[in-house]
């Protein structure tokens, strides 16, 4: 694993200065806005590089930053290997586990196995100088920001603020603002942020997080990564992920049957059991939907890891798309019920059974 710290960065003469006034005047700060409504592309004025915001539906901000910075072939491999799920019925629910869940597991894959270099940038001294130097010299900087800056996006965020530690891929700046790629709901857009507010969001977030060194960093794909792409290392990992996914799905009918045995009686159970089951089912459905979308997106980018299987994997992916829709329907019904809407138990059971049937209908492709 390659992790380095860039530096040193010269401290600003005034970076540590603090002025306290008894009755400070209110500071007028322009609200951050989308640069253009719905904009998904931007050419950096600083570097001249053209950026296209890669859609990252349901992925967290860490994944969104990776999808912007990995080259297409490596991104496809990452989505497949990290997204392929392991599904188990346990503790009265259904768990879905994959490498999309944790940053440490993702780093072990990208940095450890595939040689992507992550260069941490110093957070002491002049943060803004460090941020701008990274964009100017390397084309981007991933910045971890405090959640309060989202208060300025009423239309998209509906005043539901994220936890601290949200990441933005900064790709450009000017005298008054920063431009960064960020996920907004289920969309990924290029957004413009007020300069003072954005820098303060970085500084403020340092108060909250434990891994302060991870607040500013950049990625670099060097010789190790290029070698992994060309010598078969990445390809072998992809094929192993496909084989493991298909092998895991052989037990899926039994897992779903056990899950149904717990799901149905929980709907009429006393106390908090119904609420707990609906909450857990919502999150399980969301995780499975996200995992299936990642596998499908990887296949859309390259079907190479699926060669040699029935239809080169296409029938399986088509079946998985139908199953994804059924999981989404179950997820939304659970969400409606949890939000106080009226959803009959029989409607929930019917949605569950449709999901069950859709999963069973996914072609069982033998491993190689």
């Amino acid at each position: 694993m390659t992790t380095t710290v860039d530096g040193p960065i010269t401290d600003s003469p005034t970076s540590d200065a603090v002025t306290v006034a008894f009755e400070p005047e209110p500071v007028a700060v322009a609200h951050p806005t989308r640069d253009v409504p719905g904009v998904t592309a931007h050419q950096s004025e600083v570097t001249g590089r053209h950026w296209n915001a890669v859609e990252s539906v349901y992925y967290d901000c860490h994944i969104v930053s990776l999808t912007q910075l990995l080259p297409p072939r490596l991104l496809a491999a990452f989505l497949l290997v990290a997204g392929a799920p392991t599904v188990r019925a346990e503790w009265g629910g259904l768990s879905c586990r994959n490498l999309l869940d944790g940053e440490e597991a993702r780093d072990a894959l990208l940095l450890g196995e595939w040689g992507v270099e992550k260069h941490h940038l110093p957070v002491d001294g002049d943060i803004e100088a460090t941020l701008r130097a990274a964009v100017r010299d390397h084309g981007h900087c991933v910045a971890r920001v405090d959640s309060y800056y989202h208060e300025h996006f009423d239309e998209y965020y509906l005043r539901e603020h994220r936890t601290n530690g949200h990441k933005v891929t900064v790709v450009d700046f000017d005298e008054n603002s920063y431009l960064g790629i960020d996920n907004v709901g289920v969309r990924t857009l290029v957004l413009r942020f007020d300069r003072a507010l954005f820098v303060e969001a970085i500084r403020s977030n340092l108060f909250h997080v434990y891994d302060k060194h991870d607040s500013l960093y950049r990625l670099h794909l060097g010789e190790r990564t290029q070698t992994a792409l060309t010598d078969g290392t990445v390809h072998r990992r992809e094929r192993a992920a496909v084989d493991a996914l298909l092998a895991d799905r052989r037990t899926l009918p039994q897992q779903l049957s056990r899950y149904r045995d717990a799901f149905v009686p929980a709907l009429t159970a006393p106390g908090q059991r119904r609420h707990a089951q609906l909450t857990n089912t919502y999150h399980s459905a969301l995780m499975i939907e996200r995992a299936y979308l990642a596998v499908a997106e990887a296949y859309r980018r390259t079907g190479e890891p699926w060669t040699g299987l029935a239809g080169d994997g296409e029938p399986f992916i088509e079946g998985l798309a139908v199953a994804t829709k059924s999981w989404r329907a179950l997820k939304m019904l659970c969400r409606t019920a949890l939000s106080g809407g009226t959803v009959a138990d029989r409607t929930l059971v019917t949605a569950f059974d449709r999901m069950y049937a859709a999963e069973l209908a996914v072609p069982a492709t033998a491993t190689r």
Side-chain angles (χ1 to χ4, degrees), residues 39-42 49-57 59-72 74-75 78-79 110 138-142 167-171 180-184 187-191 219 221 301:
V39 68
T40 58
H42 176 74
R49 177 174 174 177
H50 187 83
W51 293 85
N52 285 304
V54 179
E55 279 295 340
S56 306
V57 179
Y59 302 152
D60 67 18
C61 59
H62 309 287
I63 304 294
V64 172
S65 64
L66 290 175
T67 57
Q68 312 311 316
L69 300 174
L70 298 180
L74 193 63
L75 174 58
F78 171 76
L79 291 175
L110 285 172
H138 304 286
H140 74 276
C141 181
V142 178
K167 291 185 177 179
V168 177
T169 304
V170 183
V171 298
I181 301 175
D182 190 11
N183 56 330
V184 182
R187 299 200 62 193
T188 306
L189 303 174
V190 180
L191 300 171
L219 299 182
L221 281 71
R301 292 173 176 274

Side-chain angles (χ1 to χ4, degrees), residues 260 263-269 274 278 330 333 337 342-353:
R260 191 184 190 283
F263 178 83
V264 174
L267 297 179
T268 56
R274 184 178 193 273
L278 290 176
L330 178 61
L333 284 173
T342 301
V343 180
D345 290 350
R346 64 178 179 275
T347 302
L348 290 164
V349 174
T350 298
F352 188 103
D353 288 343

